[in-house]
Amino acid sequence: MKTLRTFYRLSQPFWRSRQQWPAWLMLAAVIGLGLLVVQINVLINSWSKTFYDTLAAFDTTRLYGLVGEYALYLGSYVLIVVAMDYIRKGLELRWRQAMTGRLTDAWLADQVFYRLGLTGEPDNPDQRIAQDIDLMVGLSIELVASLVINLAQVGAFVVILWNLSGVQTFSLFGETVTMHGYLVWIVLFYTLAGSLLTHLIGKPLHALNYEREHREADFRASLLRKRDHAEQIALYRGEAVEREHLAGRFRAIADNWRQLMGRERNLSLFTVAYERLSLIIPVFAALPAFMAKAITLGGLMQIRSAFNAVHGSLSWFIKLYHKLVRWSAALQRLEQFEQAIAASRQQVLKAPQGQCLCMQGLTLCKPDGGVLLEALDLSVGQGEWVRLGGRSGLGKSTLLRTLQGLWPYCVGDWQLPPGRSLLLPQKPYMPHMSLRGLLAYPQLRSIDDVQLVDVLAKVGLGGLIGQLDQQAEWERVLSGGEQQRLSLARALLYRPDTLYLDEATSQLDMGSARGLLEMLRRELSECTVVGVTHQEGLVGLFDRTFELERLAEPA
């Protein structure tokens, strides 16, 4: 029941949305086509009796007509199944697209993706968004549709099997017992016993599949990190360490895989034997009636077909047990992710906006509760350039992130200035996109070439003017200094009202750094700038310096 409640919580935003009425039509179409398949199976079951009776009578003329009738059933079956699969895949895409968008929006909203990294995020959020949603959506539609269709098939064929069973009379402990529909009771008991044994044997697979997704994602993430830091690894000649690290990750996958192999082997030993035995049980059960000539060969084949149809539908749980386990694991991982996002959003810091940047009694803490900076009282005027001074590790960068609303471990009051703000970190973000998009980041609007060419020239990157539409791994193409120049170009294009500089020119020589900041001050003359820098030659560019160690000392 817990799994079903989790499924409801995760799926109801999509299915209760008024915009998703086409999804309900698509689901109805999938189920409706599935019911047509059931009807064709009923017709084929009736056809099988006639066919085998005709075959036993060596009625060649009638056989040709029956072959044509079966060809019609077969053609209809193929067309319906293909159409059902096509619509089902369209529904999967629609649901996955909506759920991916919702979860991605929640993850990116209010810098949750950043704060989750501070508070111990669930492992591999990329995998939960990309793979677990895909698993949940695809398996949910398959399981729900197949359950409804199988229930309909049970309803259709139970009546047939009941009628074919007739009435059986036998003695039990000296008493005469009359049983109606004995074949139905046999298939019900056989399937129930098989379902219970399947669950008992396969129950450990849930935890193993959950762990499998975790370990596979860890291995993929490690491979990506190696690629992202290829230059540093190469400079250190750290290939042997990285090889051992990847081997360790894969050993974890192999250990889990061996455990899965053992459990799935045990389950398969039972399920394969169970399936094969089910093929002969109806023949043995109906054999006395056939030998007594109470039913014909066609009747025997019809009983076998109806029995297997009922058994196959009732064995839904057994046949799909492996998928149910993976579905349950995906639901659990997505629920954990959503809960972590919800908890993180409760930590969002929303400082009020006023006429200036002000802090009163602001105290910054570490995640473990230790104090970084205590009782800060600062005020920065509009258009003023202020430098935050102090030794390394004091918390200057953390203060900048607190003012941006990113750092949740703080108490006290502060007020943000009006307008837009932008923080330029020491290591700029260089996503894989065109140079044009890279310069405009984080803006979505397109910027004309005249502006782009102008800012590239101003920051000393004129050599890149001809590469505006080129996509590349810019983090590898550009040097550290060039990346910081490009970061300053972003500020010129974004034109923030408040700009935070966190060692934004540390990769540049003193002359270049000073020239760029002087240019920045001319171009953004009304912008308030709060900066952190250890480059002594830049101190004179700031109107004031706040020495945080002195300000943070208790009175």
Side-chain angles (χ1 to χ4, degrees):
M1 291 304 296
K2 180 181 178 182
T3 299
L4 292 178
R5 287 194 297 269
T6 300
F7 171 67
Y8 175 77
R9 284 195 298 271
L10 291 172
S11 61
Q12 59 93 15
F14 175 78
W15 291 102
R16 294 183 65 180
S17 171
R18 293 184 177 180
Q19 297 177 345
Q20 298 302 338
W21 61 266
W24 284 101
L25 291 179
M26 296 169 79
L27 181 61
V30 169
I31 293 175
L33 290 171
L35 296 179
L36 284 179
V37 170
V38 173
Q39 181 60 38
I40 290 176
N41 288 335
V42 171
L43 294 173
I44 291 176
N45 177 263
S46 177
W47 172 91
S48 67
K49 179 181 186 305
T50 305
F51 177 78
Y52 284 105
D53 283 342
T54 303
L55 191 64
F58 295 96
D59 188 347
T60 306
T61 304
R62 193 177 182 191
L63 277 177
Y64 290 132
L66 289 171
V67 170
E69 184 181 344
Y70 185 80
L72 179 62
Y73 292 149
L74 179 62
S76 302
Y77 181 90
V78 170
L79 291 175
I80 291 171
V81 169
V82 171
M84 182 170 62
D85 184 63
Y86 182 81
I87 297 172
R88 177 183 59 80
K89 289 178 179 177
L91 178 57
E92 284 182 22
L93 177 60
R94 187 180 189 91
W95 188 1
R96 182 184 178 188
Q97 188 173 22
M99 189 169 182
T100 299
R102 179 175 64 83
L103 203 57
T104 302
D105 289 346
W107 183 54
L108 294 176
D110 299 317
Q111 295 84 40
V112 166
F113 62 96
Y114 173 80
R115 275 191 298 278
L116 280 177
L118 301 174
T119 56
E121 66 181 352
D123 63 90
N124 306 296
D126 54 314
Q127 183 225 30
R128 296 180 190 240
I129 294 174
Q131 185 172 328
D132 288 335
I133 289 178
D134 183 33
L135 276 174
M136 175 203 153
V137 168
L139 291 176
S140 294
I141 294 173
E142 179 182 353
L143 293 171
V144 169
S146 65
L147 178 62
V148 173
I149 293 168
N150 277 283
L151 288 174
Q153 183 151 295
V154 168
F157 280 93
V158 158
V159 175
I160 295 173
L161 190 61
W162 185 279
N163 293 330
L164 291 172
S165 299
V167 180
Q168 297 295 320
T169 302
F170 55 91
S171 296
L172 183 65
F173 304 115
E175 297 290 334
T176 301
V177 178
T178 301
M179 178 178 288
H180 296 267
Y182 77 102
L183 291 172
V184 174
W185 296 113
I186 290 174
V187 71
L188 286 174
F189 175 78
Y190 183 70
T191 306
L192 178 60
S195 299
L196 291 174
L197 287 172
T198 297
H199 182 61
L200 289 174
I201 297 170
K203 188 176 181 180
L205 287 173
H206 173 83
L208 289 173
N209 273 280
Y210 179 92
E211 190 61 25
R212 174 191 175 187
E213 301 297 337
H214 178 193
R215 296 185 185 187
E216 292 280 4
D218 282 347
F219 183 65
R220 287 194 300 271
S222 294
L223 289 171
L224 287 173
R225 280 193 288 271
K226 305 298 181 277
R227 182 176 181 275
D228 291 341
H229 299 90
E231 183 177 5
Q232 293 92 321
I233 294 170
L235 291 174
Y236 274 109
R237 304 289 185 186
E239 293 86 352
V241 175
E242 300 301 334
R243 189 181 299 113
E244 179 60 29
H245 179 255
L246 289 174
R249 290 289 193 190
F250 195 81
R251 280 194 296 271
I253 292 175
D255 291 342
N256 172 263
W257 189 259
R258 291 189 189 95
Q259 294 180 63
L260 272 170
M261 287 171 57
R263 291 294 182 180
E264 290 179 347
R265 175 202 60 209
N266 297 340
L267 184 61
S268 294
L269 284 172
F270 171 74
T271 56
V272 172
Y274 170 84
E275 288 294 331
R276 298 308 300 177
L277 185 60
S278 68
L279 297 177
I280 199 65
I281 283 180
V283 176
F284 286 158
L287 197 57
F290 177 74
M291 298 302 292
K293 298 184 179 181
I295 57 174
T296 63
L297 176 63
L300 181 64
M301 293 299 101
Q302 188 180 20
I303 286 173
R304 180 186 179 187
S305 174
F307 185 96
N308 287 332
V310 174
H311 166 262
S313 296
L314 291 177
S315 298
W316 175 87
F317 178 78
I318 298 172
K319 291 188 293 185
L320 296 179
Y321 191 83
H322 290 85
K323 293 184 178 181
L324 284 166
V325 167
R326 296 193 70 193
W327 177 70
S328 176
L331 288 175
Q332 184 179 348
R333 290 175 59 80
L334 287 172
E335 182 185 39
Q336 289 174 347
F337 191 44
E338 281 204 336
Q339 288 174 347
I341 289 174
S344 180
R345 296 192 72 169
Q346 294 177 358
Q347 300 176 339
V348 175
L349 302 174
K350 294 291 186 181
Q353 283 194 336
Q355 296 302 313
C356 65
L357 176 60
C358 303
M359 290 165 271
Q360 295 180 336
L362 180 62
T363 297
L364 306 187
C365 302
K366 302 176 184 178
D368 61 5
V371 175
L372 280 172
L373 294 170
E374 188 173 12
L376 296 177
D377 293 313
L378 304 176
S379 179
V380 182
Q382 182 65 31
E384 189 176 12
W385 277 50
V386 175
R387 172 178 168 266
L388 302 179
R391 57 181 171 81
S392 297
L394 180 65
K396 300 184 295 297
S397 296
T398 303
L399 176 57
L400 294 183
R401 281 149 182 77
T402 303
L403 296 177
Q404 284 286 82
L406 297 177
W407 189 258
Y409 308 107
C410 59
V411 292
D413 297 316
W414 76 95
Q415 174 182 279
L416 299 181
R420 302 190 301 174
S421 66
L422 181 67
L423 191 153
L424 301 185
Q426 183 175 8
K427 184 173 176 55
Y429 176 48
M430 297 282 131
H432 183 83
M433 57 174 60
S434 67
L435 181 61
R436 183 188 307 278
L438 202 68
L439 285 164
Y441 194 90
Q443 301 179 88
L444 290 174
R445 70 180 182 91
S446 59
I447 300 175
D448 62 70
D449 289 2
V450 175
Q451 285 182 281
L452 296 177
V453 169
D454 181 52
V455 296
L456 283 174
K458 286 178 178 176
V459 298
L461 295 176
L464 299 177
I465 289 175
Q467 303 179 45
L468 287 175
D469 293 311
Q470 180 176 329
Q471 294 199 19
E473 296 281 354
W474 294 107
E475 189 173 13
R476 300 184 181 186
V477 173
L478 303 178
S479 67
E482 288 174 325
Q483 291 180 38
Q484 289 190 333
R485 288 176 183 270
L486 191 144
S487 182
L488 293 170
R490 287 173 174 167
L492 292 176
L493 291 169
Y494 191 73
R495 304 195 69 83
D497 297 285
T498 304
L499 180 64
Y500 301 97
L501 303 176
D502 188 5
E503 301 285 4
T505 59
S506 60
Q507 298 291 315
L508 297 167
D509 63 86
M510 187 58 61
S512 298
R514 187 176 182 87
L516 285 169
L517 289 188
E518 288 174 345
M519 178 272 298
L520 196 67
R521 188 156 193 170
R522 289 193 304 271
E523 295 293 325
L524 304 176
S525 57
E526 297 182 0
C527 179
T528 301
V529 174
V530 179
V532 173
T533 179
H534 288 94
Q535 294 172 290
E536 293 297 331
L538 303 181
V539 174
L541 294 176
F542 293 86
D543 300 321
R544 288 188 290 157
T545 294
F546 284 105
E547 293 294 342
L548 295 182
E549 287 178 290
R550 181 176 58 80
L551 290 171
E553 289 176 355

